[in-house]
Amino acid sequence: MKFSWSLVLLLAACRGTATPAVSARRVPADSEIPSGPLGASIRRGLALVTATRDSLPRYVGNDLRCVSCHLDEGRRSPQSWVGVTGRYPQYRSRSGTVETLEYRINGCFERSLNGKPIAVDGRDMRDIVSYLAFLSTGVPVGYKAPPPDTRWSGLKPDTAAGSRFFATTCARCHGEDGGGTVAAPPLWGPRSFNIGAGLTRVRTAAAFIVANMPFDKAVTLTDQQALDVAAYVTSQHRPDFAGKESDWPNGDAPPDVAYPTKAAHKAPPASSAH
C-alpha cells in the first residue's frame, strides 16, 4: 500500500543555540544535487527516505516512510534534517549515551518504522547520510537545534475533545480508525509507529500537528486543539517496543513519555538533553 507525500507523526530534538536558525538559511533544492558518484549517492539516499518501505522492505515493519514525519523531503520543521549532520555525535538522554548520526537513524528504523536497523557500514546508510549532508550544506558543524517548545506546559490535554476533533477533521485523511488511507499513513494500530517512537510523546506530537496538520491546511488548529488531538492519537493502541523500559537510564525522562522506565524515580543529572 502506498501513501502520498503527507504526514504522520516520528522524532528528534537537541537544545540551545548560538548559531543562526536553520530556517533562516537557504536549503539546497534537489536540482542542486551534483553529478558524479557523490550525486548518485545523494539521489539514492533521497529515494530511500521517500520510498523507505518499498526500497528496504526487510527493515521496515509498518506503512510509514522516513518522510511521513520528516516532511518536504526533510526540509520542514519541526522534524527538519537541515543541519543534522553537524549536530552529531551528540549526547542524548533517551539512550543515556553519545550517539552517532548512524545510531540515530537506526533508532528511527527500529521505533518510527517499527523495523530493524540497517548496516552502519553499508551502502544504504552511506547514501542516506549523503542526502542528509546535502541538506545540511552551509550549516556549520556544531549547530544546535532550538530548545524544546515550552508552550505546552501551560495547557492540559483533553483526550475526549481530541477524539471529537479527529473525527471531524483528521479522519478524512487518516481514516476513522486511524489506520491510514491512500492519502495519509496510519497514526495507530499494527501498521503505525511503535510506542518507543518520539511521536508517542504528547507534546512532541502536538508540535508536529500544529505546524503541519491538516496537511491541506483546510483548518488551522489552535495550540489546545493540537494538544487534544495529540493526546487522543498517542493514547491509542500501537506496536510495543522491546527494551523501552531502559530508555532515559539516568531518570531524566520528559514528562510526556508514554511508558514507565526502570529509572523513572531516579534523580536526573544536573544537565541533559532530551
Side-chain angles (χ1 to χ4, degrees):
M1 188 175 186
K2 294 186 177 180
F3 299 97
S4 76
W5 285 86
S6 306
L7 120 100
V8 136
L9 312 172
L10 235 219
L11 304 196
C14 317
R15 49 176 60 200
T17 180
T19 57
V22 159
S23 59
R25 295 180 176 275
R26 180 180 176 278
V27 181
D30 291 352
S31 60
E32 298 174 62
I33 296 175
S35 59
L38 177 58
S41 179
I42 293 170
R43 290 187 183 281
R44 185 171 183 272
L46 172 58
L48 292 177
V49 299
T50 55
T52 320
R53 185 181 174 215
D54 291 341
S55 300
L56 300 170
R58 292 175 52 199
Y59 303 98
V60 178
N62 58 22
D63 290 336
L64 275 66
R65 303 169 295 154
C66 297
V67 295
S68 294
C69 302
H70 302 277
L71 304 181
D72 291 349
E73 300 176 344
R75 291 175 168 86
R76 188 189 297 196
S77 294
Q79 273 77 30
S80 171
W81 287 325
V82 177
V84 69
T85 54
R87 299 203 298 268
Y88 285 84
Q90 68 165 263
Y91 173 81
R92 297 190 72 245
S93 59
R94 186 173 70 180
S95 63
T97 189
V98 174
E99 298 182 9
T100 63
L101 181 56
E102 292 82 359
Y103 184 107
R104 184 72 180 95
I105 290 169
N106 271 335
C108 292
F109 271 92
E110 295 179 282
R111 295 169 184 260
S112 297
L113 298 177
N114 194 36
K116 298 184 296 184
I118 61 177
V120 172
D121 58 351
R123 181 188 179 194
D124 298 329
M125 180 68 78
R126 182 170 62 249
D127 291 344
I128 290 173
V129 171
S130 293
Y131 176 65
L132 301 186
F134 168 73
L135 284 186
S136 301
T137 300
V139 180
V141 173
Y143 168 83
K144 295 182 179 179
D149 198 332
T150 59
R151 59 179 159 169
W152 312 108
S153 59
L155 300 175
K156 183 178 180 180
D158 184 336
T159 304
S163 173
R164 293 190 294 271
F165 193 89
F166 183 91
T168 59
T169 306
C170 313
R172 60 191 172 85
C173 290
H174 293 284
E176 294 181 2
D177 63 352
T181 68
V182 295
L187 302 182
W188 66 81
R191 303 304 300 173
S192 187
F193 52 93
N194 68 42
I195 196 171
L199 286 176
T200 59
R201 289 176 50 190
V202 175
R203 295 179 185 180
T204 302
F208 180 92
I209 292 168
V210 78
N212 299 300
M213 297 296 120
F215 195 70
D216 59 8
K217 293 301 178 187
V219 178
T220 300
L221 278 70
T222 65
D223 289 352
Q224 184 65 59
Q225 289 170 328
L227 190 67
D228 293 345
V229 172
Y232 174 66
V233 169
T234 58
S235 71
Q236 303 302 306
H237 178 73
R238 63 188 63 259
D240 196 11
F241 177 67
K244 65 183 184 299
E245 66 279 358
S246 297
D247 287 348
W248 290 281
N250 292 317
D252 50 352
D256 56 346
V257 174
Y259 47 88
T261 65
K262 290 188 292 188
H265 302 295
K266 184 177 179 180
S271 177
S272 63
H274 297 154

